[in-house]
Amino acid sequence: MTKSVDYYLAPVSPWTYLGHDRFVSLLDSHAATCRIFPIDLGKLFPVSGGLPLAKRAPQRQAYRIVELERWSGWLKLPIHVTPKFVASSGDLASRWILAAAAGSAVAGLALAGGVLRARWAEERDIADPATLRAIADGLGLDGAAIAARADRPETAVEYEAATQRAIDAQVFGVPWYVYRGEPFWGQDRLDFLARALSK
């Protein structure tokens, strides 16, 4: 039986960025696949007890930076904890990821990785269609075809459905992985996911 993981992510999440490449490697090493669900945190947080970053207590905001820098150093992944386009929405990029994933999970994962790197390592604007096209083309994907699909109304509906699916699944943060009904929240839980996939 093929092993499959449900992967809930948001391109505006630095934690998703820090875990993404390791998650992809984990899938490869266990001959597993995944279903990709980019979600809207702005709709998830109000129903799950979460707060957007700007509304969190100052001590929580300060410690977040400590942890991001700590994990960045440990993983040897560059990160700008406050990137240039930090206020840019992730909605368009999420629709692009869904559009790429419609072709294959591999393409969806590749584009997600490119988008995450663009925001958190390269300080590029992932709300800009031209940036997304350049990312896709640079990965050897068909940027024009992905753009066309991302602009379709049904892709926006799919994005809404992915967010509602997350809410129904009691997701409250990202990255979030579900394997055989068992949830794993956060890139720091990938070791536990690896153990589950090894069974």
Side-chain angles (χ1 to χ4, degrees):
M1 179 183 295
T2 300
K3 298 176 179 180
S4 180
V5 180
D6 286 349
Y7 179 30
Y8 296 91
L9 69 145
V12 296
S13 161
W15 305 110
T16 302
Y17 160 65
L18 289 171
H20 184 78
D21 288 345
R22 285 181 295 136
F23 174 63
V24 173
S25 295
L26 191 61
L27 292 176
D28 290 343
S29 64
H30 288 85
T33 185
C34 76
R35 296 189 298 176
I36 305 168
F37 299 106
I39 62 174
D40 184 348
L41 295 178
K43 293 180 178 177
L44 183 78
F45 283 162
V47 297
S48 64
L51 289 174
L53 181 60
K55 293 185 178 180
R56 296 174 195 168
Q59 59 267 44
R60 288 180 177 267
Q61 294 189 42
Y63 188 72
R64 171 182 174 273
I65 291 173
V66 171
E67 279 286 89
L68 287 173
E69 291 176 344
R70 179 179 290 151
W71 276 100
S72 170
W74 175 253
L75 298 172
K76 296 181 172 55
L77 282 176
I79 192 170
H80 296 278
V81 294
T82 307
K84 181 178 179 181
F85 296 100
V86 70
S88 290
S89 168
D91 293 339
L92 181 61
S94 292
R95 294 198 301 272
W96 274 65
I97 292 167
L98 282 169
S104 72
V106 171
L109 289 169
L111 186 59
V115 167
L116 288 160
R117 284 189 298 276
R119 182 180 179 91
W120 294 106
E122 300 164 0
E123 294 194 291
R124 297 162 73 186
D125 185 4
I126 63 169
D128 177 17
T131 298
L132 293 171
R133 173 74 181 267
I135 293 168
D137 288 344
L139 292 166
L141 303 173
D142 188 340
I146 293 172
R149 184 174 182 87
D151 286 341
R152 294 176 187 170
E154 52 265 39
T155 304
V157 171
E158 189 179 354
Y159 180 40
E160 293 286 338
T163 301
Q164 186 59 52
R165 180 187 179 89
I167 291 169
D168 293 343
Q170 300 185 335
V171 173
F172 52 81
V174 290
W176 189 283
Y177 321 94
V178 180
Y179 178 60
R180 294 181 177 172
E182 184 177 0
F184 302 84
W185 173 41
Q187 57 87 32
D188 54 344
R189 297 298 184 268
L190 282 169
D191 286 346
F192 288 100
L193 177 58
R195 292 185 186 100
L197 286 165
S198 296
K199 294 178 182 176

